[in-house]
Amino acid sequence: MSALHLVPALPQAERTAAGGPVQATENRRVLQLVDENREICAIARGTVQAAIEVLAGTRPIQQLSRRLDQRCLASLQHRAALTRRVAAGPSPTAGRLHRNPAVRTVRACQVAAGIYEASAVVVDELRVRAVAVRLERSNQVWRITALEIG
């Protein structure tokens, strides 16, 4: 029979950098980045869905005023007005623009500390669209500073 050797655990302060406090700190940092990435994807998904609904005329633009900066909000409002004008025209498919949107996928990556860029794929009744979003942290709140809807 072989003997089982038990080695007492060293106190945390005595562990080496290979598997001790340094590794635990690195693991926490990776988990924080993963959690932050999930948060960004959730924010991007909800905001993109809402923006497409604004273009469809089914959601008031004021609901996005806390998430979008002023430039993005004005641009989205202008595009929504143009979309309504086109929808009122003679084209039979124009009235179905941006109808029943569904966000299929969202991807995000950190480009700098407190700055992420995300892309989303949105499907509506007529076509598939790509959406690009830039999010920046300001006073512990994520704001969208760029919104491009294809």
Side-chain angles (χ1 to χ4, degrees):
M1 287 173 98
S2 65
L4 180 62
H5 297 286
L6 295 176
V7 178
L10 295 173
Q12 183 133 354
E14 294 180 27
R15 292 185 193 160
T16 63
V22 172
Q23 183 67 33
T25 302
E26 186 63 29
N27 287 345
R28 268 188 246 115
R29 177 159 163 58
V30 169
L31 288 176
Q32 285 173 343
L33 288 176
V34 169
D35 287 344
E36 191 171 78
N37 195 299
R38 283 187 183 143
E39 178 186 10
I40 293 298
C41 286
I43 291 169
R45 178 179 294 277
T47 305
V48 166
Q49 179 76 36
I52 298 295
E53 290 171 1
V54 165
L55 293 178
T58 58
R59 180 184 292 260
I61 194 162
Q62 291 80 11
Q63 290 183 359
L64 290 172
S65 63
R66 288 184 151 192
R67 186 63 69 190
L68 299 177
D69 73 354
Q70 289 300 316
R71 193 175 44 84
C72 288
L73 197 64
S75 177
L76 183 62
Q77 188 170 22
H78 178 71
R79 183 167 175 175
L82 292 175
T83 302
R84 282 192 303 274
R85 188 179 305 161
V86 169
S91 173
T93 59
R96 292 187 358 228
L97 280 173
H98 309 292
R99 298 290 182 203
N100 298 322
V103 178
R104 294 288 185 211
T105 60
V106 177
R107 304 268 191 262
C109 79
Q110 187 175 24
V111 293
I115 300 173
Y116 276 80
E117 290 184 350
S119 64
V121 175
V122 179
V123 178
D124 61 33
E125 283 186 8
L126 296 178
R127 60 184 173 184
V128 177
R129 299 175 182 279
V131 180
V133 178
R134 182 178 179 99
L135 297 101
E136 297 181 13
R137 186 186 297 263
S138 172
N139 297 330
Q140 301 303 318
V141 176
W142 290 103
R143 290 187 71 82
I144 293 182
T145 59
L147 174 68
E148 294 293 327
I149 302 172

